[in-house]
């Protein structure tokens, strides 16, 4: 397909802080795994691009829906010294957008559809993993694609979906066709754009966190889209009590609608006291840290673990942050507790399982509280830096 398209592009200046050292996986002037130490003065521009052409194992998608992620916001947000907030893999300029759904327009001859085990045909409705794992390095070969040593991430260091078209490797695509009986018309694309953040939550609480048993108690700190999705997954997995800790009432209400049973507002009440009260002094089997403020929220988590009667609690750290957690080892030892980190969403059957949950009625679309055009994306990304009333703002293609 020939022609041009517009892409919402993040631009920033390569200006490393004095303590930054170029790592083996960094490319000077182009990309780094330590974005908040390098990139300065971010700005968003709408640029014109040629419509890309797929290679033999690639697919050209017509983009249909893309959610704004917190990482998009933090990559475009500068601190007092002008450095971006996002601490991870970044390479600019790049088109933003990685929570997406679309339609297959064109495919290379070796681009295989996992739904049919045959080459892709035009018209298939799909979503994609955001992490472009190589499949050849040791972590990939060991079954840990989220930790690929040659990782690319769409919308972070390679062009993303905030455009009309994009090219992706067939290996990361997943069909949405099983959701067609649940979602009519373009609603399937709205739901499809929420598969990726829901998979991040699934990977955190089920894969990395080890899952829960029916009847367990769970606490989610932070009602962003990933935290809200975690509430839905934990409730579907059989949690007897799902507690959401959130200061923003609109987001807390969404968490309650999608799976949480109780809301704690830590700005108005003591987090630990309230969790212990709700659980009759038992505490929780799982805590998910999704605020990005570990130094603020972890002391409350630690107190619940220490004073509660539940052994073997798991704390899953999901939000990206530079700050260190003030951890007391004695609490983990005496209470047989553990802290694990969660990154990404790839592998382990996560995408097909989340898609099947959605096909079976786990509706995440209430998280979409605002729909915008491509031209409206920049102002809305900036707005989310200071205004958290909207949960998920989604670009819907015309």
């Amino acid at each position: 397909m020939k022609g041009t398209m517009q892409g919402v592009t993040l631009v920033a200046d390569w200006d490393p802080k004095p303590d930054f050292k170029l790592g083996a996986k960094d490319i000077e002037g182009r990309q780094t795994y330590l974005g908040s130490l390098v990139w300065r003065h971010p700005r968003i521009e709408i640029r014109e691009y040629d419509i890309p052409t797929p290679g033999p194992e690639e697919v050209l998608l017509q983009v249909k829906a893309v959610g704004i992620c917190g990482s998009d916001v933090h990559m475009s947000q500068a601190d007092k010294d002008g450095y971006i907030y996002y601490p991870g893999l970044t390479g600019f300029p790049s088109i933003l957008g990685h929570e997406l759904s679309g339609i297959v327009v064109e495919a290379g001859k070796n681009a295989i559809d996992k739904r049919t085990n045959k080459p892709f045909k035009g018209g298939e409705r799909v979503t994609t993993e955001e992490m472009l794992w190589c499949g050849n390095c040791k972590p990939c070969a060991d079954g840990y694609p989220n930790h690929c040593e040659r990782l690319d991430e769409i919308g972070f260091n390679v062009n993303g979906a905030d455009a009309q078209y994009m090219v992706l490797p067939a290996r990361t695509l997943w069909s949405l066709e099983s959701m067609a009986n649940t979602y009519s018309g373009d609603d399937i694309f709205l739901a499809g754009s929420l598969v990726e953040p829901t998979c991040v939550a699934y990977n955190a609480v089920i894969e990395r966190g080890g899952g829960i048993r029916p009847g367990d108690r769970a606490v989610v700190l932070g009602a962003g889209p990933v935290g809200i999705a975690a509430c839905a997954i934990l409730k579907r997995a059989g949690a007897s009590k799902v507690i959401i800790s959130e200061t923003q009432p609109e987001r807390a209400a969404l968490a309650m609608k999608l799976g949480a049973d109780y809301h704690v507002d830590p700005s108005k009440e003591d987090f630990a006291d309230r969790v212990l009260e709700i659980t009759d002094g038992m505490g929780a089997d799982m805590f998910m840290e999704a605020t990005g403020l570990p130094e603020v929220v972890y002391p409350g988590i630690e107190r619940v673990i220490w004073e509660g009667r539940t052994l073997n609690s798991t704390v899953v750290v999901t939000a990206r942050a530079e700050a260190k957690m003030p951890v007391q080892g004695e609490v983990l030892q005496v209470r047989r507790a553990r802290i694990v980190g969660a990154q990404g969403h790839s592998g382990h059957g996560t995408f097909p399982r989340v898609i099947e949950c959605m096909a079976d009625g786990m509706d995440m679309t209430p998280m979409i509280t605002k729909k915008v055009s491509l031209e409206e994306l920049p102002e809305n990304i900036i707005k989310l830096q200071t205004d958290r009333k909207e949960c998920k703002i989604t670009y819907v293609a015309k």
Side-chain angles (χ1 to χ4, degrees):
M1 178 181 289
K2 294 183 179 180
T4 60
M5 66 179 190
Q6 291 183 319
V8 177
T9 307
L10 185 63
V11 183
D13 300 326
W14 180 276
D15 188 7
K17 292 183 179 181
D19 55 345
F20 172 77
K21 293 183 180 179
L22 202 67
K25 295 180 283 187
D26 295 330
I27 301 172
E28 188 166 10
R30 173 62 183 116
Q31 77 173 34
T32 178
Y33 277 70
L34 297 167
S36 56
L37 296 182
V38 172
W39 294 109
R40 204 174 187 189
H41 306 311
R43 57 262 186 205
I44 301 174
E45 302 174 359
I46 296 182
R47 295 185 171 185
E48 191 166 285
Y49 296 83
D50 290 331
I51 295 174
T53 301
E57 297 179 351
E58 294 179 328
V59 168
L60 175 67
L61 296 186
Q62 180 185 7
V63 176
K64 298 296 289 184
V66 189
I68 298 176
C69 177
S71 57
D72 300 325
V73 177
H74 293 147
M75 283 190 289
S76 61
Q77 186 174 8
D79 65 16
K80 61 182 178 60
D81 296 318
Y83 287 94
I84 68 170
Y85 275 87
Y86 187 74
L89 173 61
T90 39
F92 306 128
S94 290
I95 298 175
L96 293 171
H98 59 270
E99 301 177 356
L100 70 118
S101 62
I103 297 176
V104 175
V105 175
E106 185 181 336
K109 63 179 181 180
N110 298 323
I112 303 299
D113 182 346
K114 289 184 281 293
R115 184 176 71 94
T116 62
N117 202 30
K118 296 178 181 178
F120 266 106
K121 295 181 180 179
E124 181 106 0
R125 293 168 288 191
V126 296
T127 186
T128 183
E129 300 169 39
E130 167 267 335
M131 310 187 84
L132 305 182
W133 38 271
C134 73
N136 297 312
C137 68
K138 187 176 187 300
C140 284
D142 284 344
Y144 304 118
N146 291 313
H147 306 277
C148 172
E149 292 182 336
R150 295 181 180 86
L151 183 67
D152 285 321
E153 296 188 70
I154 62 174
F156 291 81
N157 72 319
V158 297
N159 282 337
D162 287 345
Q164 283 90 23
Y165 297 92
M166 70 179 304
V167 160
L168 286 165
R171 69 179 183 274
T172 66
L173 296 182
W174 293 92
S175 174
L176 299 174
E177 295 301 326
S178 65
M179 294 164 56
N181 292 330
T182 306
Y183 297 95
S184 60
D186 287 344
D187 285 350
I188 192 171
F189 297 115
L190 297 177
S193 71
L194 293 167
V195 170
E196 191 272 349
T198 305
C199 286
V200 172
Y202 185 104
N203 178 68
V205 298
I206 302 299
E207 182 59 34
R208 288 294 296 129
I212 62 167
R213 295 178 179 178
D216 280 357
R217 306 166 188 86
V219 179
V220 177
L221 296 96
V226 172
I228 292 173
C231 292
I233 292 163
L234 288 163
K235 199 62 184 176
R236 195 174 183 87
S240 60
K241 290 182 174 70
V242 177
I243 302 168
I244 184 68
S245 177
E246 172 60 46
T247 59
Q248 186 71 41
E250 292 87 354
R251 292 191 173 207
L254 276 170
M256 295 286 287
K257 183 175 183 177
L258 271 78
D261 302 295
Y262 301 89
H263 170 217
V264 175
D265 183 344
S267 69
K268 298 179 179 179
E269 54 193 333
D270 185 277
F271 166 82
D273 284 347
R274 185 70 179 115
V275 170
L276 290 167
E277 179 186 6
I278 291 169
T279 61
D280 296 321
M282 292 302 297
D285 301 273
M286 180 172 288
F287 299 82
M288 176 173 158
E289 201 302 276
T291 67
L293 301 168
E295 76 282 16
V296 174
V297 303
Y298 185 75
I301 296 173
E302 189 174 72
R303 197 182 132 215
V304 174
I305 293 173
W306 182 249
E307 296 183 15
R309 296 178 57 204
T310 298
L311 297 176
N312 303 310
S313 294
T314 297
V315 181
V316 187
V317 181
T318 309
R320 307 298 292 265
E322 282 190 82
K324 293 184 178 181
M325 298 170 64
V327 178
Q328 184 178 353
E330 181 76 1
V331 174
L332 300 177
Q333 292 166 312
V334 173
R335 307 305 294 161
R336 288 179 55 88
R338 63 176 185 153
I339 302 171
V340 300
Q343 171 178 284
H345 51 229
S346 294
H348 315 291
T350 297
F351 263 72
R353 286 189 171 98
V354 165
I355 289 169
E356 288 308 306
C357 284
M358 289 185 173
D360 189 49
M362 190 178 78
D363 184 17
M364 308 305 296
T365 58
M367 283 202 292
I368 298 176
T369 53
K370 185 178 182 181
K371 301 171 188 175
V372 299
S373 66
L374 185 75
E375 294 76 18
E376 294 171 318
L377 273 172
E379 64 190 80
N380 281 278
I381 293 171
I382 300 301
K383 182 180 179 182
L384 284 169
Q385 294 177 4
T386 55
D387 185 350
R388 296 181 68 247
K389 290 181 181 178
E390 302 291 350
C391 180
K392 180 63 68 179
I393 299 177
T394 300
Y395 153 47
V396 179
K398 298 176 182 177

